[in-house]
Amino acid sequence: MAASFQGFRSLIENSPDAISLIDTQGEILYGSASTTKIFGYQPEDLVGRNCLELIHPDDRDYSSRLLREVVAKPPGPLKWDARVRHKDGKYCWVESTLSNQLLEAEVKAIVMQQRDIQARREAEAERQKQSEALVRSNLRLEEFAYTAAHDLREPLRAVSLYTEMLVLNTPMDANATRLAKFIAEGAARMSTLIDDLLTFASTGKHEPLRNVDLGDAVTQATENLGLAIQSSGAEVTIDRLPVVRGREIPLVRLFQNLISNAVKYGGPDPIRIHVSAQQHGAEWVIRIADNGIGIAKEHQERVFLPFVRLVNRDIPGTGLGLSVCMKIVEGLGGRMWVESESGGGSAFSFTIPAEGNVVSMDCRVEAVAGGR
Ligand code: ADP
């Protein structure tokens, strides 16, 4: 047998992977020098043993099935990961590739190529552990933000109510009236902040996915913003938008936040907002473009973080709108970004999976209000 391996052996002897030749039952006929490096065994210790014996009991049935498949369907290389016992008794993760060379005159065996992937597996397990810990910690943080915001409502209501009663029932000089007005304004700002925090913290709590017509979602959003759009004189145009698998209320909120920002951060020209969609492979890219004040390059990633605002207090807002949008998009498996230039308008885009979930397309163009 060994003589017929000579040509083949010279090719594999220097390979960093362990290469073994096995018969149709898994018995090892030959092992390359690298088997020592990976498994600790000298090649001659392995010859005559069954390779399935060295595989972890939990991975053995599956591995044995793959061997039978490769034997039945030449040459079909098959690759899989399994734990293999090292000479020191510990199991290590190994990627094995089996190819059927039974009909090759030089080989006449199943070729098994094995690579040590223990470090890769450990890194993957560590990453998985970290991402699960992050999800748990985010959930706890959301719970905390939700409870804190919820509990702050009551005392805030009391502050507003008693300030109002104080103003109505107590004779006050101009200075005291001015101070009471500051308290009322502060309480109103805090109330908006609490509402936005509650929205942010509850955005991750999912209702089931349904087919949502994005055209209807934008229409709903523009209706909700009717007053703001009309008083700003903004013109909103909407292209054909797809039907996607999503959650209606969050999707309306997503469009509402983006369109409301486009109105709030309009520039000197009459505000124009355009909503469009393009399919790129397995996803839709939905774009909300405006001709407003724009966002400088260095701030374009930051604006998606909670509480980041680039404007002064004269423009109302809590800095939570875009982080809510990002959470909604990520909750549907998408990504979100902005393309913009300071003074040159902004285009916010988000992706939403399209594969297998597009039911129909709708076409509408809507000018909610004319120019200023
Ligand atoms: P808010 O509008 O309550 O401040 P957001 O999270 O929605 O909070 O937005 C964060 C910041 O990003 C805003 O304060 C603003 O500076 C900037 N921004 C958002 N949308 C736009 C836009 N369409 N054009 C220019 N700047 C924008």
Side-chain angles (χ1 to χ4, degrees):
M1 192 72 157
S4 67
F5 294 154
Q6 286 310 318
F8 190 71
R9 182 181 288 186
S10 64
L11 283 173
I12 61 179
E13 211 48 58
N14 294 321
S15 166
D17 294 344
I19 297 178
S20 316
L21 300 184
I22 58 176
D23 72 7
T24 56
Q25 301 304 306
E27 187 181 315
I28 300 169
L29 309 169
Y30 162 82
S32 72
S34 293
T35 51
T36 314
K37 200 175 68 200
I38 297 180
F39 304 115
Y41 296 100
Q42 293 299 325
E44 54 274 22
D45 296 341
L46 291 171
V47 173
R49 293 183 71 171
N50 194 300
C51 68
L52 294 170
E53 274 172 29
L54 299 172
I55 292 180
H56 191 284
D58 290 351
D59 302 337
R60 201 172 290 152
D61 283 354
Y62 180 61
S63 305
S64 156
R65 209 166 57 239
L66 289 178
L67 173 61
R68 285 200 300 277
E69 251 180 64
V70 169
V71 170
K73 278 193 242 148
L78 276 182
K79 199 182 268 189
W80 84 106
D81 294 352
R83 284 154 292 180
V84 177
R85 200 171 63 240
H86 192 273
K87 194 173 181 195
D88 65 11
K90 287 194 193 125
Y91 283 95
C92 54
W93 277 102
V94 168
E95 178 192 88
S96 304
T97 308
L98 281 183
S99 73
N100 184 331
Q101 307 275 332
L102 288 164
L103 300 176
E104 286 292 321
E106 281 285 283
V107 187
K108 287 194 183 125
I110 306 288
V111 178
M112 182 164 69
Q113 186 172 348
Q114 293 179 300
R115 180 170 298 175
D116 180 352
I117 54 162
Q118 184 65 20
R120 191 181 86 196
R121 278 287 183 148
E122 278 170 10
E124 278 168 10
E126 185 55 30
R127 269 201 302 277
Q128 177 71 15
K129 226 167 68 192
Q130 280 172 0
S131 95
E132 282 168 11
L134 201 65
V135 168
R136 278 197 305 276
S137 131
N138 278 344
L139 279 176
R140 277 201 299 274
L141 212 61
E142 274 175 19
E143 271 319 311
F144 169 75
Y146 190 86
T147 313
H150 192 264
D151 291 356
L152 280 171
R153 260 189 169 162
E154 245 350 275
L156 184 63
R157 212 170 278 150
V159 171
S160 303
L161 185 69
Y162 290 124
T163 310
E164 211 175 302
M165 283 168 67
L166 200 67
V167 172
L168 287 176
N169 301 330
T170 320
M172 284 186 174
D173 61 16
N175 195 34
T177 311
R178 199 168 57 92
L179 295 179
K181 190 169 155 262
F182 288 156
I183 298 176
E185 282 172 0
R189 259 205 317 278
M190 197 162 160
S191 171
T192 313
L193 184 61
I194 287 175
D195 287 347
D196 283 3
L197 259 177
L198 283 170
T199 307
F200 180 72
S202 56
T203 299
K205 298 181 178 29
H206 297 319
E207 6 149 355
L209 294 179
R210 295 179 208 288
N211 288 336
V212 179
D213 184 333
L214 291 186
D216 288 347
V218 184
T219 306
Q220 184 62 59
T222 53
E223 276 171 23
N224 296 349
L225 293 168
L227 206 64
I229 292 176
Q230 265 170 31
S231 58
S232 67
E235 184 184 78
V236 185
T237 50
I238 306 165
D239 272 1
R240 289 152 58 96
L241 296 184
V243 174
V244 297
R245 203 96 186 116
R247 300 178 180 92
E248 191 183 343
I249 295 170
L251 281 168
V252 171
R253 176 166 291 281
L254 171 63
F255 283 117
Q256 198 170 312
N257 287 0
L258 293 174
I259 294 172
S260 131
N261 278 352
V263 172
K264 270 199 300 187
Y265 305 113
D269 296 331
I271 301 169
R272 300 207 188 295
I273 302 163
H274 184 62
V275 186
S276 57
Q278 267 196 330
Q279 188 164 9
H280 290 282
E283 61 186 19
W284 285 102
V285 178
I286 313 294
R287 194 167 189 265
I288 295 90
D290 66 52
N291 60 344
I293 58 172
I295 300 172
K297 285 265 170 300
E298 65 269 27
H299 299 307
Q300 288 174 12
E301 279 189 27
R302 287 177 61 230
V303 288
F304 294 99
L305 297 172
F307 304 117
V308 170
R309 303 202 74 216
L310 309 176
V311 288
N312 64 31
R313 275 218 187 153
D314 298 344
I315 304 180
T318 56
L320 282 168
L322 289 176
S323 20
V324 167
C325 293
M326 183 66 99
K327 259 181 105 179
I328 294 169
V329 169
E330 287 182 347
L332 294 173
R335 294 165 283 118
M336 188 171 186
W337 66 95
V338 62
E339 290 155 279
S340 181
E341 263 177 48
S342 199
S346 309
F348 284 86
S349 301
F350 65 88
T351 62
I352 192 158
E355 211 171 38
N357 62 13
V358 180
V359 178
S360 73
M361 293 273 284
D362 198 5
C363 170
R364 74 194 73 206
V365 174
E366 181 183 343
V368 171
R372 276 198 262 230

